[in-house]
Amino acid sequence: MYLPTHFVQADQAELTSLITAHPLALLMHLGGDGTPEADPVPLHWRPSETGGQGGTLIGHVARANPLWRAAAGQSVLAVFQGPQAYISPNWYPSKQSEGGKVVPTWNYSVVQARGVLRLVEEPAELLKILHTLTDQHESRQAHPWSVDDAPAGYIAALQKAIVGFRIEVSELVGKWKVSQNRPEADRQGVTAGLASASDTSAQAMARLVAGRPS
């Protein structure tokens, strides 16, 4: 990934926060014939038990999905896309002083996680993955659903149709392209323009440009 110094996001807490808030990753790997493949897969970030910068991503795919056979034991890349938005040059006060020499751009925040994919097929461990992923997302519900709410035999039968995996993350890279290369007045203009938009991603980007959490 092209990563100018001023767009580097090295704060581990910010990186993992984006992963948690935007868990649907684009999981990239080489297919059986060597062709690059990309699958959208929801993943859960599990911090290192030693408290270091490492961690593990866990997830599962349908057994019918060729990803698990092709990617097992292979280095893969998981890309998590955070807030993003179009930036209009109309929001730059400098448009007047620079004689119109400004152009549109696109702001975005993204995290790339790289590591080796290992399969998890032992039923008890796979069930733990299902509980973890479900509990993470059901926690937002007024009355959270639990895997235990379904009959055990039904869940056991469904488990045969999926394959779990974990990715021991060896590299976590963040890129926050949030108008750091613009003058402060332009950044304020961008913040105001984005904040006035109706979509939540633009509003989240406005908070990033302003230096506040998304």
Side-chain angles (χ1 to χ4, degrees):
M1 175 171 64
Y2 173 58
L3 188 55
T5 304
H6 48 275
F7 293 151
V8 171
Q9 175 56 269
D11 187 320
Q12 177 87 357
E14 291 287 348
L15 301 181
T16 56
S17 178
L18 185 146
I19 290 174
T20 300
H22 304 274
L24 184 63
L26 193 60
L27 186 56
M28 303 180 183
H29 65 287
L30 294 179
D33 61 355
T35 302
E37 303 283 353
D39 285 80
V41 183
L43 300 175
H44 174 83
W45 171 262
R46 180 179 290 165
S48 170
E49 294 181 358
T50 62
Q53 291 193 338
T56 305
L57 292 167
I58 59 174
H60 65 82
V61 294
R63 188 169 289 274
N65 188 333
L67 179 155
W68 66 273
R69 285 192 177 90
Q74 181 186 127
S75 179
V76 298
L77 180 68
V79 180
F80 299 87
Q81 178 69 62
Q84 49 83 27
Y86 171 80
I87 306 301
S88 171
N90 287 325
W91 297 338
Y92 296 153
S94 64
K95 182 176 74 169
Q96 302 302 322
S97 62
E98 295 181 11
K101 295 180 180 179
V102 291
V103 293
T105 189
W106 207 281
N107 278 9
Y108 54 87
S109 53
V110 65
V111 173
Q112 293 187 350
R114 195 181 304 273
V116 176
L117 186 146
R118 307 292 184 189
L119 300 182
V120 177
E121 296 190 85
E122 202 281 320
E125 291 302 311
L126 180 55
L127 184 60
K128 288 181 182 178
I129 289 177
L130 296 181
H131 273 283
T132 297
L133 288 167
T134 301
D135 292 348
Q136 174 186 351
H137 302 295
E138 284 290 327
S139 64
R140 305 185 183 95
Q141 301 296 319
H143 303 285
W145 180 86
S146 169
V147 172
D148 293 333
D149 290 345
Y154 175 72
I155 295 298
L158 290 181
Q159 280 187 238
K160 296 177 181 178
I162 62 175
V163 177
F165 62 85
R166 66 178 182 275
I167 302 168
E168 299 295 338
V169 176
S170 57
E171 183 182 34
L172 203 59
V173 178
K175 182 176 182 179
W176 264 227
K177 183 179 179 293
V178 294
S179 302
Q180 300 98 315
N181 56 328
R182 301 301 307 179
E184 179 59 28
D186 284 359
R187 287 174 57 82
Q188 292 179 6
V190 169
T191 299
L194 291 169
S196 67
S198 58
D199 65 285
T200 57
S201 185
Q203 293 170 4
M205 177 52 66
R207 293 191 288 274
L208 287 181
V209 174
R212 301 191 301 273
S214 61

